[in-house]
């Protein structure tokens, strides 16, 4: 299944250039030019593999788009890449767990690198969260021990009332 990248920036020409380049790298791409379009696109379409947002989107601003994405269970862990100006204050985005930043002016090669990096780190994180059978058995065993200890405590404190 192809990975999808949603790219949103004020500059329509930049959107076209990015779309061509990212598609050429084998990704599905959807672009738009403001925050309203970004949220509508993500709500209407399947959740993408990655969202790339210009830091100065109009309509619904970029921090609000990030806040909305992080507050929705479907998109809470969605990787987000922010394209920012040199003087953009990154602390505005700290609360939104941004995966990467790219500073303007940037090269298309630099963008492709950051896209691949964000997607590969997401893949690695999801693989590390998959449970191996031994870990599951260990968790079940620890749960059984905790339940047994709880039963013993209840019997110790309330046993005289239960067995009268």
């Amino acid at each position: 299944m192809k990975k999808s990248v949603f790219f949103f920036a004020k500059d329509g020409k930049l959107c076209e250039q990015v779309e061509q380049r990212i598609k050429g790298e084998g990704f599905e791409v959807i672009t738009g030019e403001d925050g309203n379009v970004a949220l509508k696109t993500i709500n209407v379409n399947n959740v993408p593999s990655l969202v790339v947002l210009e830091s100065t989107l109009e309509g619904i601003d970029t921090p609000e788009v990030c806040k909305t994405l992080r507050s929705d269970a479907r998109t809470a862990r969605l990787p987000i890449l922010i394209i920012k100006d040199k003087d953009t204050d990154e602390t505005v985005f700290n609360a939104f767990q941004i995966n990467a930043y790219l500073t303007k002016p940037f090269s298309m090669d630099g963008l492709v690198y950051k896209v691949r990096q964000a997607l590969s780190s997401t893949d690695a994180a999801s693989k590390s969260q998959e449970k191996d059978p031994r870990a599951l058995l260990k968790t079940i065993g620890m749960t059984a021990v905790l339940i047994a200890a709880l039963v013993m405590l209840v019997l110790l404190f309330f046993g005289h009332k239960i067995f009268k």
Side-chain angles (χ1 to χ4, degrees), residues 150-164:
L150 183 60
V151 167
M152 290 176 68
L153 283 172
V154 168
L155 289 174
L156 181 66
F157 288 108
F158 301 108
H160 65 282
K161 292 180 182 180
I162 297 172
F163 296 111
K164 273 191 173 181

Side-chain angles (χ1 to χ4, degrees), residues 29-134:
V29 181
I30 294 179
T31 63
E33 296 180 22
D34 68 43
N36 295 316
V37 173
L39 290 177
K40 285 178 186 171
T41 302
I42 293 167
N43 282 329
V44 170
N45 293 287
N46 291 329
V47 175
S49 306
L50 171 69
V51 173
V52 181
L53 303 168
E54 185 177 28
S55 64
T56 55
L57 287 176
E58 295 176 351
I60 299 174
D61 68 4
T62 307
E64 188 62 30
V65 171
C66 293
K67 180 180 176 184
T68 303
L69 292 174
R70 291 299 185 233
S71 66
D72 182 339
R74 296 177 314 122
T75 57
R77 302 185 83 193
L78 176 66
I80 300 173
L81 167 64
I82 299 288
I83 295 177
K84 66 182 196 74
D85 296 317
K86 288 179 184 174
D87 58 347
T88 299
D89 181 11
E90 289 180 15
T91 60
V92 171
F93 298 101
N94 285 351
F96 307 117
Q97 299 143 357
I98 302 305
N99 299 76
Y101 293 92
L102 185 61
T103 304
K104 292 180 191 175
F106 60 89
S107 68
M108 287 297 157
D109 288 340
L111 175 63
V112 168
Y113 174 78
K114 288 286 192 175
V115 165
R116 290 191 184 284
Q117 186 179 42
L119 291 172
S120 68
S121 67
T122 303
D123 289 344
S126 65
K127 283 180 184 173
S128 72
Q129 291 175 356
E130 293 174 1
K131 298 226 182 241
D132 92 29
R134 291 173 294 183

